[in-house]
């Protein structure tokens, strides 16, 4: 019988206990894998933010609008290459639960600002010239089964038209992709002018400005110049990098990073105590057996390695099972949630971190039991017979 077989048999000598320990570890890694996938998907906007893009919002809050005239004034600031703007529409398709992330934008400058969005030339031209065109992202179009030429209404739970209607009619004349899979395409954009001219209230206002600088090194200088331009005005501004703006937007939902760390930390702390205590007890149960193994020629280092190997096998079995379950769940959820959380999946870096945690868990819970096993004295252990 080789040592690997001994390790396996030692681990499963009490099958119920081993299975319960594996399930406990699996639950911890299932939580880590699933929450890690959602966290990475939520933060994809931060990761793909362009270094030369700034976002200017109302200093009170990004939900408070600013005058449309700010766009032209910001365009005059030295170091600014392009200025676009966007406004939150808050739309839904047919039923309120069919949420559609929609923005009213300045088409030409918006496509310059977000040059990572790709459109066939004819669709790009259609979007620029047709005021009632809706350009839908690929993920969003797939979610609702939209095709080029479809006529659809989008309703808003925020805005109303002058005739009292909350529905805007659109023709889908463009479906955009992105040159990077990490860039989300789960939203739609349409002409701000079409939106603005029909509004019943709050006309000639915009949600935020998207400012492209000539060089990322100028970001701080340009940000200060923009905010100084509107200091002491009725609508003061705050300009940050796109990554900082996206992070602030996510924090409106909650501190996802803190939630993730707290939940995973609590799960792993519990598992550490359970596995560590159980393995110490398991070694104490086998004191005489370990003494006999030493009399048969097993050295102290080999006893240490075999005991630590048990914990490594336990950690890897539980971790891989948990990560596999998380991967299955996330894969099943990814397609149905593509319109809300694009790019959902367990990436290689999450898997590598999980593997490192499995090793760390094994070391933290296995070193003490392994040292106790290694230091078992033959005379003392067999003297108890």
């Amino acid at each position: 019988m080789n040592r690997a077989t001994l390790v396996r048999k030692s681990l499963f000598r009490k099958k119920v206990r081993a299975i319960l320990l594996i399930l406990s570890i699996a639950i911890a890694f299932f939580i880590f894998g699933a929450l890690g996938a959602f966290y990475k998907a939520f933060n994809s906007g931060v990761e793909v933010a362009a270094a030369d893009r700034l976002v200017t919002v109302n200093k009170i809050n990004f939900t408070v609008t600013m005058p449309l005239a700010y766009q032209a004034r910001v365009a005059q600031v030295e170091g600014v290459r392009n200025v676009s703007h966007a406004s939150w529409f808050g739309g839904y398709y047919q039923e309120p639960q069919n949420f559609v992330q929609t923005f009213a934008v300045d088409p030409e400058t918006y496509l310059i600002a977000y040059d990572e969005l790709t459109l066939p030339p004819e669709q790009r031209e259609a979007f620029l010239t047709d005021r009632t065109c809706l350009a839908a992202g690929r993920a969003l179009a797939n979610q609702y089964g939209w095709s080029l030429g479809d006529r659809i209404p989008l309703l808003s739970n925020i805005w109303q038209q002058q005739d009292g209607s909350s529905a805007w009619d659109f023709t889908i004349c463009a479906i955009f992709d992105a040159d990077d899979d990490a860039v989300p395409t789960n939203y739609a954009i349409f002409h701000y002018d079409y939106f603005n001219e029909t509004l019943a209230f709050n006309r000639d206002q915009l949600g935020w400005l998207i400012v492209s600088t000539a060089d990322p090194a100028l970001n701080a200088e340009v940000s200060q110049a923009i905010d100084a331009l509107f200091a002491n005005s009725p609508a003061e501004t705050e300009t940050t990098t796109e990554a900082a703006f996206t992070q602030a937007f996510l924090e409106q939902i909650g501190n996802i990073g803190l939630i993730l760390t707290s939940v995973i930390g609590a799960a792993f702390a519990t598992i550490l105590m359970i596995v560590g205590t159980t393995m110490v007890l398991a070694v104490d149960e086998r004191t005489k057996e370990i003494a006999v193994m030493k009399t048969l020629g097993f050295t102290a280092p080999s006893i240490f390695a075999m005991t630590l190997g048990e914990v490594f096998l336990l950690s890897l079995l539980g971790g891989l099972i948990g990560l596999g379950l998380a991967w299955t769940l996330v894969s099943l959820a990814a397609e149905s949630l593509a319109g809300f959380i694009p790019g959902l999946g367990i990436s290689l870096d999450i898997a590598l971190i999980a593997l490192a945690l499995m090793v760390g868990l094994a070391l933290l819970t296995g070193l003490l039991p392994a040292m106790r096993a290694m230091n078992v004295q033959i005379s003392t252990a067999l003297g108890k017979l």
Side-chain angles (χ1 to χ4, degrees), residues 351-362:
L352 291 175
I353 293 172
L355 187 61
L357 286 173
M358 293 176 208
V359 173
L361 177 65

Side-chain angles (χ1 to χ4, degrees), residues 73 137 139 179 187 194 231 279 284 320 326 330 333 381:
R73 296 183 64 184
D179 58 13
Y187 64 97
Y194 173 51
M279 289 305 300
D284 288 344
L320 292 174
V330 169

Side-chain angles (χ1 to χ4, degrees), residues 44-373:
S44 61
V46 177
E47 296 175 3
V48 301
D52 63 349
R53 266 198 310 255
L54 306 175
V55 177
T56 299
V57 298
N58 193 301
K59 191 174 184 179
I60 297 173
N61 190 280
F62 70 84
T63 61
V64 181
T65 58
M66 303 177 294
L68 178 61
Y70 278 20
Q71 180 182 13
R73 296 183 64 184
V74 170
Q76 302 303 313
V77 173
E78 186 176 353
V80 171
R81 175 172 56 84
N82 179 71
V83 183
S84 189
H85 63 82
S87 299
W88 178 256
F89 180 70
Y92 62 91
Y93 176 57
Q94 296 179 335
E95 300 293 338
Q97 62 267 26
N98 296 333
F99 171 71
V100 179
Q101 189 177 197
T102 316
F103 305 99
V105 304
D106 179 39
E108 187 170 354
T109 57
Y110 190 88
L111 292 180
I112 294 173
Y114 293 96
D115 56 359
E116 64 266 33
L117 302 181
T118 58
L119 283 163
E122 65 278 6
Q123 292 183 32
R124 184 186 186 94
E125 183 63 26
F127 177 56
L128 293 175
T129 57
D130 185 352
R131 289 163 62 88
T132 63
C133 170
L134 182 76
R138 180 69 61 185
L140 181 65
N142 290 342
Q143 180 185 356
Y144 290 111
W146 294 341
S147 302
L148 292 175
D150 286 354
R151 290 281 297 175
I152 65 165
L154 284 184
L155 296 90
S156 177
N157 48 20
I158 301 174
W159 310 106
Q160 278 191 341
Q161 297 192 48
Q162 295 170 21
D163 61 5
S165 171
S166 59
W168 273 260
D169 292 321
F170 297 99
T171 301
I172 297 178
C173 68
I175 296 177
F176 61 83
D177 292 287
D179 58 13
D180 184 341
D181 290 340
V183 176
T185 58
N186 63 327
Y187 64 97
I189 51 178
F190 67 95
H191 282 239
Y192 172 83
D193 288 344
Y194 173 51
F195 170 67
N196 188 53
E197 69 186 11
T198 57
L199 273 177
F201 59 92
N202 210 49
R203 296 179 68 180
D204 297 328
Q205 296 284 308
L206 54 85
W208 58 91
L209 293 167
I210 303 110
V211 182
S212 301
T213 59
D215 189 320
L218 299 174
N219 285 356
E221 182 181 338
V222 170
S223 297
Q224 293 171 5
I226 292 172
D227 293 339
L229 193 62
F230 305 110
N232 301 316
S233 70
E236 293 187 278
T237 62
E238 182 177 16
T239 304
T240 60
T241 62
E242 184 183 37
F245 171 75
T246 304
Q247 188 64 53
F249 183 83
L250 289 173
E251 288 174 359
Q252 297 296 311
I253 303 172
N255 192 330
I256 300 172
L258 178 61
I259 295 170
L260 178 70
T261 303
S262 300
V263 172
I264 293 175
F268 276 92
T270 304
I271 296 304
L272 280 173
M273 290 186 289
I274 293 173
V275 176
T277 303
T278 304
M279 289 305 300
V280 168
L281 292 174
V283 169
D284 288 344
E285 290 173 359
R286 302 205 307 263
T287 301
K288 296 180 178 63
E289 179 184 318
I290 293 169
V292 171
M293 291 174 65
K294 285 189 171 183
T295 64
L296 294 175
F298 285 88
T299 62
S302 66
I303 295 291
F304 177 88
M306 289 171 64
T307 306
L308 192 60
E310 279 186 55
V311 189
F312 266 92
L313 180 59
L314 178 69
S315 180
L316 288 173
L317 283 175
L320 292 174
I321 290 171
L323 200 62
L325 290 173
W327 180 86
T328 302
L329 174 68
V330 169
S331 298
L332 291 173
E335 185 174 350
S336 59
L337 295 177
F340 301 97
I341 312 175
L344 183 62
I346 294 181
S347 59
L348 178 61
D349 57 342
I350 293 176
L352 291 175
I353 293 172
L355 187 61
L357 286 173
M358 293 176 208
V359 173
L361 177 65
L363 289 173
L364 286 172
T365 58
L367 284 175
L368 178 59
M371 290 178 67
R372 288 171 67 91

